[in-house]
Amino acid sequence: MQLNQREQVLVRLAKYLGRCRVSHTLRVAIDGPDAAGKTRLADDLAHLLGQQREVIRLSVDRFHRPAAVRRRRGSLSAEGYYLDSFDHDTIINSVLRPLGPGGDGRYLPAAYDYRADEPVPPAYQQAPARGILLFDGVFLLRPELRDYWDVALYLHVAPEVTLQRALKRDLDLFGSAAAVEHRYHGRYLPGQELYRAEAQPLDRADIVLDMTNPLNPTMLCWAADAEPDSHRERGQPSAK
């Protein structure tokens, strides 16, 4: 049976990640702007990889900060979205370091329920041997986090595509198309612009996919050092 373009890309990614060898859990970031298709791609990739290696499937959405912190600069602040949304210290200290070189493999799958706006009781889990962490979310290649990932994927869509998808996805959440546009133009799109200006994720990711057509993703970058035989093991942050 002939595979479509999306299936071909997923198989290529799964084969590559399945061949990557590090001394710890392989920590994979699946980054990209809002509505780029990160969660769906990570779930599909987890299904394929799960046939050969155990997968830990996490999301940055489980590591929000409290609403009062997220909105302290204003509910429409782009800086607030980029700088205050997520608890990066917990992501590093309770996920990425324990799963990295010299870590004990005990990680925290969630820290905060942003819908209830309350902490999640700590429930540490033990990573499987030779496991793969697939961690999706926005802003994953920001300076605080980027050197903890062993492999970084970035899913690219233009801002107008993000807004077009948000008008369908977030209509019930915000109540009207006008409210969606107001939020995205005021907070989310300029927050992503701040991120791209500081972190340059398209240049720093190992693999970049154009997800303008999610059924027909295009490989924009497959870095030379993103081959399993030459894959470098990343540990503690180092200057780039």
Side-chain angles (χ1 to χ4, degrees), residues 27 92-93 96-97 101 142-149 232-240:
R27 300 161 299 175
I92 291 169
N93 294 321
L96 298 179
R97 278 183 175 155
R142 59 188 303 138
E144 305 97 308
L145 298 178
R146 62 190 175 211
D147 286 317
Y148 287 101
W149 305 111
R232 73 180 183 88
E233 185 169 293
R234 297 173 183 173
Q236 304 304 316
S238 57
K240 283 191 175 180

Side-chain angles (χ1 to χ4, degrees), residues 87-109:
D87 186 348
H88 303 113
D89 288 341
T90 296
I91 293 171
I92 291 169
N93 294 321
S94 297
V95 180
L96 298 179
R97 278 183 175 155
L99 297 181
D104 62 8
R106 290 186 73 251
Y107 68 95
L108 190 66

Side-chain angles (χ1 to χ4, degrees), residues 172-198:
D172 290 341
L173 178 63
F174 295 120
S176 69
V180 172
E181 291 195 20
H182 188 55
R183 295 285 296 178
Y184 273 79
H185 282 305
R187 182 174 175 90
Y188 300 129
L189 296 179
Q192 287 289 341
E193 186 176 350
L194 289 174
Y195 171 54
R196 289 191 296 272
E198 180 188 48

Side-chain angles (χ1 to χ4, degrees), residues 55-131:
V55 175
I56 300 168
R57 184 67 185 87
L58 300 184
S59 172
V60 77
D61 285 338
R62 302 179 184 182
F63 296 90
H64 272 84
R65 287 175 169 157
V69 176
R70 301 198 308 271
R71 297 169 185 161
R72 62 188 173 187
R73 301 173 199 259
S75 63
L76 290 179
S77 169
E79 292 84 1
Y81 180 44
Y82 177 45
L83 298 175
D84 301 331
S85 289
F86 303 103
D87 186 348
H88 303 113
D89 288 341
T90 296
I91 293 171
I92 291 169
N93 294 321
S94 297
V95 180
L96 298 179
R97 278 183 175 155
L99 297 181
D104 62 8
R106 290 186 73 251
Y107 68 95
L108 190 66
Y112 203 83
D113 182 342
Y114 73 93
R115 292 181 178 86
D117 198 23
E118 61 184 19
V120 174
Y124 283 86
Q125 298 183 15
Q126 185 66 40
R130 296 183 59 253

Side-chain angles (χ1 to χ4, degrees), residues 2-34:
Q2 180 109 13
L3 298 179
N4 63 36
Q5 177 67 15
R6 180 184 176 85
E7 291 168 338
Q8 290 177 35
V9 168
L10 285 166
V11 167
R12 182 181 179 187
L13 289 171
K15 286 182 177 178
Y16 162 65
L17 294 174
R19 296 195 308 267
C20 285
R21 293 291 181 266
V22 292
S23 62
H24 52 273
T25 301
L26 185 71
R27 300 161 299 175
V28 181
I30 300 177
D31 188 20
D34 305 275

